[in-house]
Amino acid sequence: MKIIGGNWKFNKELREKEKAKKFIRELERMLEKEKIGKGKVIIFPHFLVLNEVKKIAKRIKVGAQDVHWEESGSFTGAQPSAQDLKKWGIKNVLIGHSETRKYFGVTEEKVRLKLKSALKEKLFPLICIGEDIEEKERGETKKVLRKQIEEGILPSLNKNSRFLIAYEPLYAISGFAKLRGKKPKPAQIEDIKLSHNFIKETFKKRGFKVKVLYGGSCNPQNAKELLSQDFIDGLLVGSKSWDLESFLEIIKIAKEV
Ligand code: PGA
């Protein structure tokens, strides 16, 4: 089965402990019923409920939405460090999600530092890359992806580094689409194919075989088409992972394809 990630972002309900725990318990029950093994579903809760969720998750992997690059110091408002995550038993972590890049000033340099720190603590990063609509329209998709890979990722890797990539073009992410007054919809399959192949090829040239998830407006209606593509190794689901029913449907589709 391909990997299904659920990014809870800043969803209000899922920052409430009891609601988050109820969601996880029900999801666990379903994974058990469907005989879906450990590690196929990764949930990225907000830090406020990260530890609570981690305590009750069995088949579900639990990851952080971000990580700070230093262990300690004068960094008011910083995210937990890689050392904190390790202490809490959290192995998975999102790095460079476009919303952290856009809203919280995460640059390639910061992606590189976060990644370095996460890998040093043997965490398993899911690094998000992707172009914005203007860049796509200017025909710069490959240029943007190459820059993100060469400046933000490669310098922090060594030959044993383990990580995943998520291709998430910004124009397809539902939150950004709504800001532009557009109805959220995923990227075209042809565009996803070009980008995924380019990403895999770029890493291959440097000796890394990578899995690339797709993210951006995934839902139960489009999951089958997306998951049937051999160049898509899984999905990173945002807003549709906030709704248990939709998320369960996507997981069932992943199991079937
Ligand atoms: P979305 O978000 O599914 O709401 O478009 C995806 C993501 O940002 O990871």
Side-chain angles (χ1 to χ4, degrees):
M1 188 185 130
K2 293 184 177 181
I3 299 164
I4 303 294
N7 179 1
W8 284 1
K9 304 190 180 189
F10 197 54
N11 178 277
K12 188 167 180 276
E13 305 243 307
L14 293 169
R15 299 199 319 272
E16 287 178 30
K17 274 181 202 163
E18 289 316 314
K19 289 190 181 155
K21 279 168 34 183
K22 185 162 177 269
F23 187 113
I24 294 295
R25 281 195 198 101
E26 286 177 25
L27 186 54
E28 282 287 351
R29 260 199 295 280
M30 181 265 184
L31 297 186
E32 198 179 328
K33 192 167 142 230
E34 297 283 327
K35 299 196 170 45
I36 295 174
K38 198 174 162 72
K40 295 296 175 190
V41 176
I42 314 172
I43 294 282
F44 297 92
H46 188 268
F47 285 122
L48 279 174
V49 291
L50 189 60
N51 276 313
E52 297 293 328
V53 164
K54 169 72 189 158
K55 269 184 226 154
I56 58 169
K58 295 184 194 84
R59 289 171 194 247
I60 303 166
K61 285 212 173 173
V62 179
Q65 293 178 12
D66 198 1
V67 62
H68 184 56
W69 58 86
E70 291 281 343
E71 185 174 6
S72 173
S74 295
F75 295 102
T76 306
Q79 306 289 341
S81 66
Q83 291 79 6
D84 291 326
L85 297 180
K86 193 177 171 187
K87 210 166 12 184
W88 300 338
I90 305 283
K91 292 246 168 65
N92 295 71
V93 60
L94 286 181
I95 293 182
H97 188 281
S98 53
E99 287 161 6
T100 70
R101 294 178 190 253
K102 264 264 195 282
Y103 298 128
F104 307 120
V106 173
T107 55
E108 297 314 333
E109 189 201 356
K110 287 175 185 154
V111 169
R112 190 168 71 228
L113 293 170
K114 285 166 188 272
L115 182 59
K116 192 166 182 207
S117 167
L119 290 171
K120 194 166 152 245
E121 296 303 330
K122 306 246 174 324
L123 304 184
F124 187 46
L126 170 48
I127 312 151
C128 303
I129 56 177
E131 83 283 25
D132 208 345
I133 189 68
E134 296 81 15
E135 292 160 334
K136 175 177 162 40
E137 283 168 357
R138 288 198 299 266
E140 292 175 1
T141 300
K142 286 186 181 173
K143 186 177 151 200
V144 173
L145 294 174
R146 189 181 299 114
K147 182 172 157 56
Q148 290 172 332
I149 294 171
E150 285 181 356
E151 292 180 18
I153 305 177
L154 288 170
S156 294
L157 302 180
N158 66 51
K159 65 177 180 9
N160 300 318
S161 300
R162 287 184 64 246
F163 60 97
L164 287 172
I165 298 291
Y167 172 60
E168 299 205 309
L170 273 68
Y171 60 90
I173 292 183
S174 62
F176 289 142
K178 283 185 194 150
L179 277 185
R180 292 170 44 240
K182 303 274 184 205
K183 202 169 165 263
K185 62 171 197 296
Q188 302 277 330
I189 295 289
E190 270 315 298
D191 289 334
I192 302 175
K193 184 177 184 180
L194 284 175
S195 295
H196 279 222
N197 288 343
F198 177 75
I199 293 166
K200 289 182 185 204
E201 202 48 44
T202 306
F203 277 105
K204 199 173 153 202
K205 280 188 199 147
R206 305 298 188 100
F208 297 97
K209 190 171 185 298
V210 295
K211 283 194 173 165
V212 184
L213 313 192
Y214 167 77
S217 298
C218 300
N219 62 40
Q221 289 72 44
N222 57 38
K224 187 162 184 203
E225 189 188 10
L226 291 164
L227 286 163
S228 325
Q229 313 298 328
D230 58 358
F231 48 86
I232 295 182
D233 299 308
L235 301 179
L236 181 53
V237 185
S239 40
K240 294 297 171 196
S241 74
W242 306 347
D243 171 52
L244 185 62
E245 220 176 289
S246 305
F247 194 55
L248 288 178
E249 257 188 80
I250 296 173
I251 294 168
K252 281 189 189 161
I253 295 168
K255 194 193 157 196
E256 282 158 19
V257 295

